[in-house]
Coordinates of all heavy atoms in Angstrom, one line a residue:
Y1 N -21.3 -3.4 -23.2 CA -21.4 -4.3 -24.4 C -22.7 -5.1 -24.4 O -23.1 -5.6 -25.4 CB -20.2 -5.2 -24.5 CG -18.9 -4.4 -24.6 CD1 -18.0 -4.3 -23.5 CD2 -18.6 -3.8 -25.8 CE1 -16.9 -3.6 -23.6 CE2 -17.4 -3.0 -25.9 CZ -16.6 -2.9 -24.8 OH -15.4 -2.2 -24.9
G2 N -23.3 -5.3 -23.2 CA -24.5 -6.1 -23.1 C -24.6 -6.9 -21.9 O -23.9 -6.7 -20.9
V3 N -25.4 -7.9 -21.9 CA -25.7 -8.8 -20.8 C -24.8 -10.1 -21.0 O -24.8 -10.7 -22.1 CB -27.2 -9.2 -20.7 CG1 -27.4 -10.2 -19.5 CG2 -28.0 -7.9 -20.5
W4 N -24.1 -10.5 -20.0 CA -23.2 -11.7 -20.0 C -23.8 -12.8 -19.2 O -24.1 -12.6 -18.0 CB -21.8 -11.3 -19.5 CG -21.1 -10.3 -20.4 CD1 -21.2 -8.9 -20.3 CD2 -20.2 -10.6 -21.4 NE1 -20.4 -8.3 -21.2 CE2 -19.8 -9.3 -21.9 CE3 -19.7 -11.7 -22.0 CZ2 -18.9 -9.2 -23.0 CZ3 -18.8 -11.6 -23.1 CH2 -18.4 -10.4 -23.6
L5 N -23.8 -14.0 -19.8 CA -24.2 -15.2 -19.1 C -23.0 -16.2 -19.3 O -22.3 -16.1 -20.2 CB -25.4 -15.8 -19.7 CG -26.7 -15.0 -19.7 CD1 -27.9 -15.9 -20.3 CD2 -27.1 -14.6 -18.3
G6 N -22.9 -17.1 -18.3 CA -21.8 -18.0 -18.4 C -22.2 -19.5 -18.1 O -23.2 -19.7 -17.3
A7 N -21.5 -20.4 -18.7 CA -21.7 -21.8 -18.4 C -20.4 -22.4 -18.0 O -19.4 -22.3 -18.7 CB -22.2 -22.5 -19.6
P8 N -20.3 -23.0 -16.8 CA -19.0 -23.6 -16.3 C -18.7 -24.8 -17.1 O -19.5 -25.4 -17.9 CB -19.3 -23.9 -14.9 CG -20.8 -24.2 -14.8 CD -21.4 -23.2 -15.9
P9 N -17.4 -25.4 -16.9 CA -17.1 -26.6 -17.6 C -18.1 -27.7 -17.2 O -18.7 -27.7 -16.1 CB -15.7 -26.9 -17.0 CG -15.2 -25.6 -16.6 CD -16.3 -24.8 -16.1
N10 N -18.3 -28.6 -18.2 CA -19.2 -29.7 -18.1 C -20.7 -29.3 -18.0 O -21.5 -30.1 -17.5 CB -18.8 -30.6 -16.9 CG -17.4 -31.1 -17.0 OD1 -17.0 -31.6 -18.1 ND2 -16.6 -30.9 -16.0
S11 N -21.0 -28.1 -18.5 CA -22.4 -27.8 -18.6 C -23.0 -28.5 -19.9 O -22.3 -29.0 -20.7 CB -22.5 -26.2 -18.8 OG -21.9 -25.8 -19.9
V12 N -24.3 -28.4 -20.0 CA -25.0 -29.1 -21.1 C -25.9 -28.1 -21.9 O -26.4 -27.1 -21.3 CB -25.8 -30.3 -20.7 CG1 -24.9 -31.4 -20.1 CG2 -26.9 -29.9 -19.7
S13 N -26.0 -28.4 -23.2 CA -27.0 -27.7 -24.0 C -27.7 -28.7 -24.8 O -27.4 -29.9 -24.8 CB -26.3 -26.6 -24.9 OG -25.5 -27.2 -25.8
Q14 N -28.8 -28.3 -25.5 CA -29.6 -29.3 -26.2 C -30.2 -28.6 -27.4 O -30.6 -27.4 -27.4 CB -30.7 -29.7 -25.3 CG -31.5 -30.9 -25.8 CD -32.5 -31.4 -24.7 OE1 -32.8 -30.8 -23.7 NE2 -33.1 -32.5 -25.0
R15 N -30.2 -29.3 -28.5 CA -30.9 -28.8 -29.7 C -32.2 -29.5 -29.8 O -32.3 -30.7 -30.0 CB -30.1 -29.1 -31.0 CG -30.7 -28.5 -32.2 CD -29.9 -28.4 -33.4 NE -29.1 -29.7 -33.7 CZ -28.1 -29.7 -34.6 NH1 -27.8 -28.7 -35.2 NH2 -27.5 -30.9 -34.8
G16 N -33.3 -28.7 -29.7 CA -34.6 -29.2 -29.8 C -34.8 -30.3 -28.7 O -34.5 -30.1 -27.5
A17 N -35.3 -31.5 -29.1 CA -35.5 -32.6 -28.2 C -34.4 -33.6 -28.4 O -34.5 -34.7 -27.8 CB -36.8 -33.2 -28.5
E18 N -33.3 -33.3 -29.1 CA -32.2 -34.2 -29.2 C -31.5 -34.4 -27.9 O -31.7 -33.7 -26.9 CB -31.2 -33.7 -30.2 CG -31.7 -33.6 -31.7 CD -30.8 -32.9 -32.6 OE1 -29.6 -32.7 -32.3 OE2 -31.2 -32.6 -33.7
P19 N -30.6 -35.5 -27.8 CA -29.9 -35.7 -26.5 C -29.1 -34.5 -26.2 O -28.6 -33.7 -27.0 CB -29.0 -36.9 -26.9 CG -29.7 -37.6 -28.0 CD -30.4 -36.5 -28.8
E20 N -28.9 -34.3 -24.9 CA -28.0 -33.2 -24.4 C -26.6 -33.3 -24.9 O -26.1 -34.4 -25.0 CB -28.1 -33.1 -22.8 CG -29.4 -32.7 -22.3 CD -29.4 -32.6 -20.8 OE1 -28.5 -33.3 -20.1 OE2 -30.2 -31.9 -20.2
V21 N -25.9 -32.2 -25.0 CA -24.5 -32.1 -25.4 C -23.8 -31.6 -24.2 O -24.1 -30.5 -23.7 CB -24.3 -31.2 -26.7 CG1 -22.9 -31.1 -27.0 CG2 -25.1 -31.8 -27.8
S22 N -22.7 -32.3 -23.8 CA -21.9 -31.8 -22.7 C -20.7 -31.0 -23.2 O -20.1 -31.4 -24.2 CB -21.4 -33.0 -21.9 OG -20.6 -32.5 -20.8
H23 N -20.4 -29.9 -22.6 CA -19.3 -29.0 -23.0 C -18.2 -29.1 -21.9 O -18.4 -28.6 -20.8 CB -19.8 -27.6 -23.1 CG -20.9 -27.4 -24.1 ND1 -20.8 -27.4 -25.4 CD2 -22.3 -27.4 -23.8 CE1 -22.0 -27.3 -26.0 NE2 -22.9 -27.3 -25.0
S24 N -17.0 -29.6 -22.3 CA -16.0 -29.8 -21.3 C -15.3 -28.4 -20.9 O -14.9 -28.3 -19.8 CB -14.9 -30.7 -21.9 OG -14.4 -30.2 -23.1
Q25 N -15.4 -27.4 -21.8 CA -14.8 -26.1 -21.5 C -15.9 -25.1 -21.1 O -17.1 -25.3 -21.5 CB -14.1 -25.5 -22.7 CG -12.8 -26.2 -23.1 CD -13.1 -27.3 -24.1 OE1 -14.1 -27.3 -24.8 NE2 -12.2 -28.2 -24.2
A26 N -15.6 -24.2 -20.3 CA -16.5 -23.1 -19.9 C -16.7 -22.2 -21.2 O -15.9 -22.2 -22.1 CB -15.9 -22.2 -18.8
H27 N -17.8 -21.5 -21.2 CA -18.1 -20.6 -22.2 C -19.0 -19.5 -21.7 O -19.7 -19.7 -20.7 CB -18.7 -21.2 -23.5 CG -20.0 -21.8 -23.3 ND1 -20.2 -23.1 -22.9 CD2 -21.3 -21.4 -23.6 CE1 -21.5 -23.4 -22.8 NE2 -22.1 -22.4 -23.2
V28 N -18.9 -18.3 -22.3 CA -19.7 -17.2 -21.9 C -20.5 -16.7 -23.1 O -20.0 -16.9 -24.3 CB -19.0 -16.0 -21.2 CG1 -18.4 -16.4 -19.9 CG2 -17.9 -15.4 -22.1
Q29 N -21.6 -16.1 -22.9 CA -22.4 -15.6 -24.0 C -22.8 -14.2 -23.8 O -23.1 -13.8 -22.7 CB -23.6 -16.5 -24.2 CG -24.3 -16.3 -25.5 CD -25.2 -17.5 -25.9 OE1 -25.3 -18.5 -25.2 NE2 -25.8 -17.4 -27.0
L30 N -22.8 -13.4 -24.8 CA -23.1 -12.0 -24.8 C -24.4 -11.7 -25.5 O -24.6 -12.2 -26.7 CB -22.0 -11.1 -25.5 CG -22.3 -9.7 -25.7 CD1 -22.4 -8.9 -24.3 CD2 -21.2 -9.0 -26.5
F31 N -25.3 -11.0 -24.9 CA -26.6 -10.6 -25.4 C -26.7 -9.1 -25.5 O -26.7 -8.5 -24.4 CB -27.7 -11.2 -24.6 CG -27.7 -12.7 -24.5 CD1 -26.9 -13.3 -23.5 CD2 -28.3 -13.5 -25.4 CE1 -26.9 -14.7 -23.4 CE2 -28.3 -14.9 -25.4 CZ -27.5 -15.5 -24.4
R32 N -26.7 -8.5 -26.7 CA -26.7 -7.1 -26.8 C -28.2 -6.6 -27.0 O -28.9 -7.3 -27.8 CB -25.9 -6.7 -28.0 CG -24.4 -7.1 -27.7 CD -23.5 -6.3 -28.5 NE -23.5 -4.9 -28.2 CZ -22.6 -4.1 -28.8 NH1 -21.8 -4.5 -29.7 NH2 -22.7 -2.8 -28.5

């Protein structure tokens, strides 16, 4: 199906230069 990456609970992401957003749940991402 493609390449899988994962982020554990309490990981962060950021939109541009805005403050980081913390994610309480884990998530995985698929790149085809």
Side-chain angles (χ1 to χ4, degrees):
Y1 301 106
V3 178
W4 294 88
L5 301 181
N10 303 310
S11 63
V12 296
S13 64
Q14 189 175 12
R15 182 166 47 192
E18 293 177 11
E20 290 182 338
V21 176
S22 181
H23 306 279
S24 58
Q25 292 90 20
H27 62 277
V28 294
Q29 196 159 358
L30 173 64
F31 301 88
R32 298 197 67 175

